Amino acid sequence: MGGGYMGKILRVNLTNKLAKAEPLDPKMAHDFIGGRGFVQKILYDEVPIGADPLGPDNKVVMAPGPLSGVFMPASGKIQFGALSPATGIMGDANMGGHFSAEIKYAGYDAIIIEGMSDHPCIVVIDDDKVEIRDAARYWGKGSAAAEKMIKDDLGEDYQIALIGPAGENMVRIACVSHDFGRQAGRTGIGAVMGSKKLKAIAVRGSNSIPLADPDRVYEQGRKMFHGCFAKPGFKGWTPLGTSGVTPWVNEVGAFPTKNFWTTFFEDHEGIGGEALKERIWLTDKGCFGCPTPCGKYSHTRVGKKAAYVEGPEYETVALLGGNCMLKTIEEVAYANYLCDELGLDTISGGAVVSFALECAERGIITEEQIGRKVQWSDIDSFEYLITAIAKREGIGDILADGVRAAAAKFGQGSEKFAIHVKGLEWSGYEARWAPAMMLAYMTCDIGAHHNRAWAITYDVAKGREEVEGKAAKVIELQRIRPSFDLLGACRLQWVEIGFEFEHYPDMFEAVTGRKMTVEELYEATDRVWNLTRTRAFLEVPGFGRDFDYPPARFYEEPIPTGPGKGKMLTLAQLDFMLDDYYAQRGWDAKGKPTRATLERLGLGKCVQDLEGKGLL
């Protein structure tokens, strides 16, 4: 199989309390590379169509990549996946930190968690020794508090991924947490762990990663590290991390404000990177092998409330700050702490709270239903709502299922400003004046998420009124960016300091011994993309084009304030871009992959499954 792979997958069944190592399929490694590719392939093959995302047939899969844990910049990424309780389709979430490398050192290329425990449990992996232990004493504890307890019990050298109270209560926007501030945030994987009563996975390993050419890996790794250090943006990027983009996003009229009502936040200077650095920052915090640590470990105080937190990073600043209209970095950081400790995705958490605040403002939900008066720019309102969501108490029980489900229950036109695609809440870039970014959100395979194609800079550079040519750029980005998720590496060095993408196929060859061109890597990302898209058609009755549209606010309400005032994309423009995108993807007018496309990518099983459902 070559280097980079440990050659084993660990399968843990929580129902019968059995764990066993299985050989890694060389064909899966060849066709799907690793990371997100392994996650989605395993889910497609093993989770039955129509399974309850919170039932016993769903599985949690976690997979590093062939470059995870290798001597190179930022090789600490891992992908978590499950049939998403938030969207009903296959979901995944990316996480940094040190968990990915430790799984490799323990000897595994992926871990599959299946079945359901009848009591709270923790999976403890120490190389080839795997135990399922009782976790009653950790159950109910916050993410950071529980992680400290587990490390105290097992040892500091264990790397831990775990859920907070929101996951335990099967809140559909619950995340998986790690290293006191890293999260696999999107698509509700934490709720799936909670449904299985799995509080945590703790891993310790002592193996070496096999390398095809160790000398070449060392030289290539050295070259990559020094290449990062030499980039002009290297020194400017680290001090503020992702929060440093806040003023730019605001200036170009793309900053989510007041539940995406507008795109410019008057108080942005109080919540951005400079405010973080000057007022709450303590030190930088990086993931495995990172030369540009974007994590900012901070201490915040709001009145008598104080907390330590990693962050806030940009998405949190946007969704908890601008979108909930919190005006100080101290308040945003405290809101960040609440989400982290409760085990909630800050993107979906901020989107759901801001949706609830708008519903309250419009009288769609009453003070009696909520339990108290809530209002914008109020940290106490935020804390009340986010805690109710995590505990599934009162109105929080409805909001805990996400904005799509909540709007379906609240009605009264709230669907128009429930900001999501496919059931996944929108992340930190408002796109009524950014057609490529809008299309990126519409077509992201897991729902409205920016990480597959961050196209806002292309819109700003190439023209924000023009929709022609935007589909080609979005697809290009959807090939490049997910490549990192297959390899097990962070994309921020490429994105933020302009580190050349071509280094990664070179390192892949040095590690694995397999020569792979950039084009072949793109083909692998296309294979995963079409696999997930096919499964959505199989999973959700009527799935297709209608699921790719944004909420009506984005094509019925022009931006009311700021640099983008009066701007809006029309339905005709959205349809033009979708038609162009589908054609270039090799899909039909409903957005379904064609037989020719699936066969070209070696996805014959997808063809058979679609035929079996009468969909092809």
Side-chain angles (χ1 to χ4, degrees), residues 250 255 257 263-268 271 321-322 325-327:
N250 203 59
F255 193 65
T257 303
T263 65
F264 182 82
F265 188 42
E266 297 285 351
D267 298 287
H268 75 277
I271 62 174
M325 300 189 74
L326 297 178
K327 296 180 179 180

Side-chain angles (χ1 to χ4, degrees), residues 1 8 65 114 164 171 174 253 290 384 440-441 482 518 547 560:
M1 187 173 295
K8 293 186 298 182
E114 58 189 20
V171 173
C290 183
Y384 176 83
Y441 278 118
V518 169
F547 285 73

Side-chain angles (χ1 to χ4, degrees), residues 24-46:
L24 174 66
D25 179 3
K27 180 170 173 52
M28 184 172 76
H30 182 277
D31 292 348
F32 290 89
I33 311 300
R36 188 170 110 83
F38 285 6
V39 164
Q40 294 291 3
K41 173 62 172 167
I42 292 168
L43 291 174
Y44 188 98
D45 289 346
E46 297 193 11

Side-chain angles (χ1 to χ4, degrees), residues 284-571:
D284 293 340
K285 183 169 178 275
C287 301
F288 183 91
C290 183
T292 56
C294 67
K296 305 300 159 197
Y297 192 63
S298 306
H299 182 261
T300 185
R301 184 177 297 278
V302 179
K304 295 182 179 180
K305 303 169 183 177
Y308 291 94
V309 64
E310 182 181 337
E313 49 81 47
Y314 170 73
E315 297 297 327
T316 302
V317 168
L319 273 299
L320 303 188
N323 220 37
C324 296
M325 300 189 74
L326 297 178
K327 296 180 179 180
T328 71
I329 193 64
E330 289 82 3
E331 290 174 328
V332 175
Y334 185 72
N336 188 166
Y337 159 77
L338 291 171
C339 289
D340 285 2
E341 193 66 353
L342 293 168
L344 288 162
D345 173 25
T346 58
I347 294 174
S348 287
V352 171
V353 168
S354 63
F355 170 74
L357 290 170
E358 181 162 356
C359 286
E361 183 180 55
R362 291 172 175 262
I364 292 172
I365 53 176
T366 65
E367 188 174 324
E368 183 179 5
Q369 286 175 291
I370 298 167
R372 56 158 283 177
K373 182 180 180 180
V374 293
Q375 56 192 0
W376 302 102
S377 305
D378 178 39
I379 188 63
D380 292 332
S381 295
F382 180 91
E383 183 168 10
Y384 176 83
L385 288 168
I386 207 71
T387 303
I389 289 167
K391 292 182 177 181
R392 280 192 173 273
E393 292 179 346
I395 198 77
D397 191 37
I398 297 174
L399 297 171
D401 290 336
V403 297
R404 179 174 67 176
K409 290 187 177 180
F410 295 159
Q412 302 177 69
S414 62
E415 300 88 348
K416 292 185 176 183
F417 55 86
I419 310 300
H420 73 93
V421 173
K422 303 178 185 71
L424 187 68
E425 289 78 17
W426 204 281
S427 58
Y429 303 90
E430 217 281 13
R432 274 176 283 185
W433 191 27
M437 194 70 238
M438 178 70 81
L439 184 64
Y441 278 118
M442 292 167 66
T443 59
C444 178
D445 57 344
I446 61 169
H449 194 32
H450 67 285
N451 82 330
R452 303 286 202 261
W454 191 60
I456 182 70
T457 53
Y458 184 77
D459 283 315
V460 172
K462 298 296 182 180
R464 304 176 68 175
E465 311 294 335
E466 186 57 66
V467 295
E468 291 188 18
K470 296 300 172 76
K473 186 62 179 182
V474 169
I475 292 171
E476 176 190 347
L477 291 171
Q478 288 173 345
R479 286 173 171 149
I480 297 173
R481 292 173 67 89
S483 296
F484 291 93
D485 298 337
L486 304 188
L487 296 172
C490 181
R491 66 177 62 87
L492 283 180
Q493 286 71 35
W494 171 72
V495 173
E496 299 295 346
I497 65 173
F499 187 64
E500 294 81 6
F501 181 74
E502 290 74 17
H503 287 287
Y504 295 91
D506 289 346
M507 177 59 91
F508 179 82
E509 182 180 354
V511 169
T512 67
R514 173 187 169 190
K515 184 173 179 59
M516 184 168 58
T517 65
V518 169
E519 290 70 25
E520 289 170 330
L521 186 53
Y522 291 171
E523 184 176 286
T525 67
D526 281 351
R527 186 172 296 116
V528 179
W529 201 269
N530 281 270
L531 185 82
T532 60
R533 184 75 177 186
T534 297
R535 180 59 184 252
F537 276 91
L538 296 169
E539 196 72 54
V540 180
F543 185 86
R545 189 185 191 100
D546 289 348
F547 285 73
D548 289 340
Y549 288 107
R553 164 160 286 169
F554 286 170
Y555 55 81
E556 290 184 355
E557 301 177 21
I559 297 169
T561 65
K565 184 175 181 179
K567 303 295 184 182
M568 182 186 71
L569 291 164
T570 65
L571 265 178

Side-chain angles (χ1 to χ4, degrees), residues 201-228:
I201 307 107
V203 182
R204 180 172 67 179
S206 61
N207 296 283
S208 297
I209 298 172
L211 302 173
D213 188 339
D215 291 338
R216 185 179 169 191
V217 170
Y218 175 72
E219 288 305 319
Q220 178 69 10
R222 248 180 116 254
K223 178 181 175 183
M224 292 176 76
F225 274 108
H226 284 287
C228 287

